[in-house]
Amino acid sequence: MTGTSTPVVVGVDGSTSASHAVRWAAEEAARRGTNLVVMHSCMVVPVHAPHVAPSSESYADAVFDHGRVLLAEATAVAEEAAPEVEVSTELTSGGAAEQLIGRSASAQLVVLGSRGLGGFTGLLVGSVAVAVTTHAQCPTVVVRDPSSDTTPDRDAPVVVGLDGSPSSDAALAFAFEAAALRGAAVHAVRTWWDLTAETAWQRGLTATNLASIEAAEQRVLADQLAGCTTRYPDVPVHQTLTRDRPAHTLVEQSAKAQLVVVGTRGRGGFRGLLLGSTSQALIHHAHCPVAVVPLARH
């Protein structure tokens, strides 16, 4: 396959997590009919012990040689996963997050593992994944390491979290596209309130009040879905309306999904924050790959 559109880009560092990301990215590139770019960035640390360490030139050469080995290994994984996809490599210098964010301007999708070799033991998601999902100019997919009890079926749905915000509109468009490429259903989830029963009682809300609010929220959900259901008439759609914390509901839904999609920030985000709390919770705790979609590209 010869890619004619913007590529899928995947970042690698030799970790097991990155290997899972490469396989996912290669399969996604095949679905999208485009090529795959495998990136590795070498961070060359200056050497200041000339009598102990080799020269800075030979040290840098060794770092870049190791990077080429990692790229070759990742290319082999990609070619095994999707033989029809054209794979190219890019070896850069500098911080991995900075390089991937810059590359996102000319990619249709950036993919990376949840944790790399530089992560501290016990962290669920590495700093590179957090930085790229926060600042990338195209959708970013964080591929969490699969486990035997959470690996979804190929026909599992694409779950998308909605709250009526422009950011969730962008996520919705991406989710329908992803579902259409997979022949899967879209499971649209809207969590409209997370009041406890005690708080609701204190505010004087009755069952009738709550039923009326819920009916209105159901209409809002249906209205938000209308444009995409018209554009993708063959994609089955399931709607779920809950009174719960959005992150809690979406993490639960991710256990039976093949992809969960969210926007970078929803209605409840604080001004100035680039990545909302729900998006952050999902890239840390979801059971399947998570796509974080920025508003600018949709």
Side-chain angles (χ1 to χ4, degrees):
M1 174 188 302
T2 301
T4 57
S5 60
T6 51
V8 171
V9 174
V10 59
V12 301
D13 62 359
S15 65
T16 301
S17 183
S19 183
H20 292 311
V22 169
R23 183 171 297 276
W24 192 96
E27 294 174 349
E28 185 67 11
R31 294 186 193 100
R32 292 171 176 265
T34 191
N35 59 305
L36 176 67
V37 175
V38 183
M39 284 188 65
H40 175 74
S41 187
C42 298
M43 179 64 78
V44 180
V45 180
V47 175
H48 298 291
H51 300 295
V52 178
S55 68
S56 58
E57 291 81 4
S58 60
Y59 167 71
D61 289 342
V63 170
F64 278 90
D65 285 344
H66 179 62
R68 294 184 186 94
V69 171
L70 296 182
L71 288 174
E73 292 173 348
T75 298
V77 171
E79 291 175 342
E80 179 186 6
E84 71 276 26
V85 171
E86 179 182 326
V87 182
S88 60
T89 62
E90 293 182 7
L91 185 64
T92 63
S93 62
E98 177 185 0
Q99 294 300 321
L100 286 168
I101 291 167
R103 192 63 172 83
S104 71
S106 56
Q108 61 176 288
L109 191 65
V110 170
V111 183
L112 64 164
S114 56
R115 290 188 62 236
L117 293 175
F120 290 96
T121 300
L123 290 183
L124 297 175
V125 173
S127 59
V128 173
V130 173
V132 176
T133 53
T134 302
H135 297 286
Q137 298 180 52
C138 70
T140 303
V141 174
V142 178
V143 180
R144 297 185 54 76
D145 295 354
S147 59
S148 58
D149 59 339
T150 59
T151 303
D153 297 330
R154 289 283 182 173
D155 59 352
V158 173
V159 170
V160 57
L162 302 176
D163 63 3
S165 67
S167 184
S168 72
D169 284 337
L172 182 62
F174 183 91
F176 266 87
E177 179 186 27
L181 290 171
R182 290 162 170 77
V186 166
H187 192 160
V189 179
R190 179 179 173 88
T191 57
W192 61 275
W193 216 340
D194 60 0
L195 288 179
T196 64
E198 181 181 0
T199 304
W201 176 81
Q202 289 174 346
R203 296 193 180 195
L205 294 176
T206 66
T208 302
N209 296 143
L210 293 174
S212 176
I213 294 171
E214 186 166 354
E217 292 291 330
Q218 188 71 61
R219 290 191 294 272
V220 170
L221 176 57
D223 289 344
Q224 189 173 10
L225 288 169
C228 284
T229 55
T230 300
R231 184 178 178 185
Y232 296 94
D234 296 329
V235 174
V237 181
H238 305 285
Q239 301 179 32
T240 296
L241 188 67
T242 65
R243 281 190 291 148
D244 193 1
R245 300 184 306 278
H248 180 261
T249 297
L250 290 170
V251 168
E252 282 190 338
Q253 294 286 341
S254 72
K256 297 181 180 179
Q258 59 177 302
L259 181 68
V260 60
V261 186
V262 287
T264 49
R265 291 182 60 239
R267 290 183 308 181
F270 289 97
R271 185 179 300 275
L273 290 183
L274 296 178
L275 191 65
S277 58
T278 299
S279 305
Q280 292 196 47
L282 282 167
I283 65 174
H284 282 82
H285 299 291
H287 301 286
C288 68
V290 177
V292 179
V293 183
L295 180 59
R297 287 296 289 265
H298 289 275

